[in-house]
Amino acid sequence: MEQQVLKVDHITQQFGGLSALKDINMELNRGEIVGVIGPNGAGKTTLFNVITGVYKPTKGMVFIDGKNGTGKKPFEITKMGFARTFQNIRLFPRMTILENVMMGAYCRTSANVFQIIADTPKKKKEHIRIRERALELLKMMGLYEYRYELPTSLPYGEQRRLEIARALATEPMVLLLDEPAAGMNDQETEDLRKIILMLKQEGYTILLIEHDMKFVMNICERIYVLDHGELIAQGKPEEVNSDPKVIEAYLGKDED
Ligand SMILES: Nc1ncnc2c1ncn2[C@@H]1O[C@H](COP(=O)(O)OP(=O)(O)OP(=O)(O)O)[C@@H](O)[C@H]1O
Ligand SMILES: [Mg+2]
């Protein structure tokens, strides 16, 4: 088992004339909670998209658990042990909450996602195992009682928790969370903080994009700061917090 689960090695991502990421280096070690912060348009989500294979980087390499993950497809990255949630929640609106979580698991199995019919004993056994695990994850996220409802029936904060449950169903070693506290009220944010700390206890490694500085400062051991596609600072929360470049990047923008 590698200690380093992610290495982003001189990554540049160009969109036409725009450099969304410029020569970014970063590392993630097993068991860490690491934050990625930065103003709107800094390149945070693009970084996740490069890591998870949504974009093939213009330059540079991504190493996943010591293996080359550069330019791999999203489902391959999932199989390599990385799961993510999305900034704009992406749930299956016509499936129940339970089925949404089960879909996460099916990407790990031999079963065809479009044909979840348990027509052989082996598939049936697998289906039962996946269902049990999905129910367990729903309990863990406090969503068990809603399992037969549609995700749209849930308040925003709980939809985000459902996305985390679905990500966990892929049996990841690393969780990438893109603004998991966005749109949450104080209570929901506090619940989420507890969930993330519990996930760390369980051995997951977590990379977290967040706008809410207080949330990141509270929970992350290390932080990377992006601004205009550049890595302008990195370090412990208190170091980053007092870094003049970071203060300028945040104060220079009219937001929050
Ligand atoms: N597919 C794309 N095509 C062209 N430009 C893109 C694409 N994806 C992102 N960008 C641009 O790249 C820059 C970085 O965007 P990104 O979404 O990564 O920022 P972000 O830090 O996640 O911002 P936010 O806090 O608003 O979510 C922005 O200028 C954005 O418009
Ligand atoms: Mg974003």
Side-chain angles (χ1 to χ4, degrees), residues 43-202:
K44 306 180 296 293
T45 298
T46 303
L47 178 69
F48 270 24
N49 284 334
V50 169
I51 295 168
T52 57
V54 176
Y55 301 138
K56 191 171 194 278
T58 313
K59 277 191 205 141
M61 308 269 283
V62 176
F63 293 97
I64 294 203
D65 208 19
K67 292 182 268 301
N68 187 359
T70 324
K72 291 236 190 304
K73 300 248 158 43
F75 80 90
E76 293 174 304
I77 300 294
T78 307
K79 286 196 168 166
M80 291 172 91
F82 276 47
R84 75 180 287 184
T85 62
F86 295 91
Q87 186 168 357
N88 308 310
I89 298 174
R90 293 190 194 175
L91 292 161
F92 303 109
R94 287 184 192 81
M95 290 183 178
T96 65
I97 284 165
L98 174 59
E99 286 164 348
N100 264 273
V101 179
M102 289 175 70
M103 284 303 279
Y106 273 105
C107 77
R108 274 280 187 187
T109 70
S110 49
N112 184 331
V113 182
F114 298 104
Q115 184 212 3
I116 312 174
I117 302 164
D119 56 356
T120 65
K122 188 170 164 252
K123 272 197 201 162
K124 202 166 205 161
K125 223 169 140 190
E126 186 142 274
H127 181 81
I128 290 168
R129 185 188 64 81
I130 284 173
R131 192 169 186 280
E132 299 281 287
R133 176 63 180 151
L135 289 169
E136 222 172 81
L137 289 169
L138 284 173
K139 275 187 197 144
M140 196 161 125
M141 293 296 147
L143 297 170
Y144 182 77
E145 60 181 303
Y146 311 116
R147 62 198 178 282
Y148 299 127
E149 289 171 29
L150 295 176
T152 42
S153 73
L154 293 176
Y156 202 63
E158 297 186 338
Q159 290 191 26
R160 289 208 174 272
R161 291 220 298 277
L162 175 55
E163 269 213 320
I164 296 176
R166 188 181 54 186
L168 290 173
T170 70
E171 296 171 36
M173 61 174 170
V174 178
L175 261 181
L176 307 178
L177 306 176
D178 195 344
E179 302 208 24
M184 284 190 176
N185 62 34
D186 286 354
Q187 185 56 50
E188 289 171 332
T189 307
E190 177 54 21
D191 292 345
L192 177 71
R193 195 181 69 84
K194 287 192 188 129
I195 285 170
I196 292 176
L197 291 174
M198 175 193 71
L199 293 173
K200 180 188 160 71
Q201 288 283 313
E202 295 211 350

